[in-house]
Amino acid sequence: MIYCLTGKVVKKTLDTVVISCAGVGYLAQVPTTTAGSLPAPGEEATLYTVMNVTENDVSLYGFSSEEQQSCFRLLTSVTGVGPKAALAVLSVMTPEKVALAASSGDHKAFTKASGVGPKLAQRIALELKDKVGKGLAMGTGFADGGAETPVTGSAPSQAVAALVALGYNASDAARAVSRVDDTLPVQDIIKIALRGLSKL
C-alpha cells in the first residue's frame, strides 16, 4: 500500500494531480480542495494516498493531509459511498465539518456534495455518528474510527469537548458548534454555542 508520495508536481487539474517520484509519474484523483492547496507544477509536494484495487481497475486517491486521508477511508466505509462520492464530500467539506455534521446528525450538510442525495446523506450521518462523535467529545478532532493517535483537536473539536465536560451530550454540543464560525477562537465558539444551547 502506498501511504504517501513526495515529489514534483507534474501537472494538476481540478480533480487530478500527477506527482513524479523517482522518475515515475503517479496520477491521483483528488478533491478540489486538495488540488487548490498543492503548489504549482515544478514544485515539490507531499500527497497522502489511498489505493483502491478492484477487479477491473487500480486507482490512486490523493489528499493534502492525513486528516483528509482518514476521512476518505471512513466515508468509503459507509454502505453505498464509493470513492467518487467521498471525493465529492471532501471537495465541499473539511474533515472537521464532516465530523461535526455526522456527530450532530446534520445529514443535509452532505447533500451539498455532487451526487449525494438525501438518502445517502442520511446514511452517512447515521453510520458515522458514533465513529466521529467519540473523537469530538474527547477534543481530538477527526479520528480514524477511534484511532489511538487521532489528529490534534482544532478549535471546533475543543469547543465540543468543553461543552461535553459541562454536561451537554456530544450530539447537541456538535450541533451547536457546527452553527458557529469555525475560524473564531475556542472561547468565542464556546460562548456562542452556549447561547444556542440555552435556547433548547
Side-chain angles (χ1 to χ4, degrees):
M1 177 153 145
I2 301 171
Y3 182 75
C4 67
L5 297 168
T6 298
K8 281 189 179 176
V9 176
V10 177
K11 72 176 195 174
K12 63 177 185 171
T13 66
L14 279 176
D15 56 3
T16 61
V17 170
V18 177
I19 191 163
S20 177
C21 305
V24 179
Y26 294 88
L27 171 70
Q29 295 177 58
V30 297
T32 54
T33 49
T34 292
S37 69
L38 289 174
E43 293 185 42
E44 192 167 285
T46 295
L47 207 57
Y48 295 92
T49 58
V50 174
M51 184 181 284
N52 188 47
V53 181
T54 64
E55 193 177 316
N56 304 316
D57 188 39
V58 177
S59 298
L60 198 61
Y61 302 95
F63 310 93
S64 57
S65 68
E66 290 174 287
E67 201 172 15
Q68 268 195 334
Q69 181 190 48
S70 294
C71 189
F72 177 83
R73 283 200 185 105
L74 259 190
L75 284 166
T76 54
S77 75
V78 174
T79 310
V81 177
K84 188 176 177 182
L87 287 176
V89 169
L90 287 170
S91 289
V92 296
M93 298 172 78
T94 63
E96 189 69 40
K97 290 200 176 185
V98 168
L100 285 169
S103 185
S104 65
D106 179 16
H107 66 273
K108 288 182 182 175
F110 296 105
T111 60
K112 293 173 186 171
S114 174
V116 178
K119 285 186 181 176
L120 186 56
Q122 286 173 353
R123 193 177 304 136
I124 293 169
L126 183 67
E127 289 190 28
L128 293 188
K129 186 171 185 175
D130 291 336
K131 291 180 181 179
V132 299
K134 188 177 176 185
L136 283 172
M138 293 188 303
T140 53
F142 189 86
D144 187 0
E148 289 180 18
T149 53
V151 178
T152 304
S154 64
S157 64
Q158 288 174 31
V160 172
L163 293 169
V164 168
L166 289 171
Y168 294 97
N169 72 49
S171 180
D172 288 343
R175 191 174 297 112
V177 169
S178 70
R179 294 181 180 134
V180 182
D181 180 358
D182 60 9
T183 61
L184 292 171
V186 179
Q187 297 294 359
D188 292 346
I189 293 175
I190 294 169
K191 283 178 192 170
I192 296 167
L194 276 169
R195 277 186 224 134
L197 286 164
S198 67
K199 294 172 186 172
L200 293 177

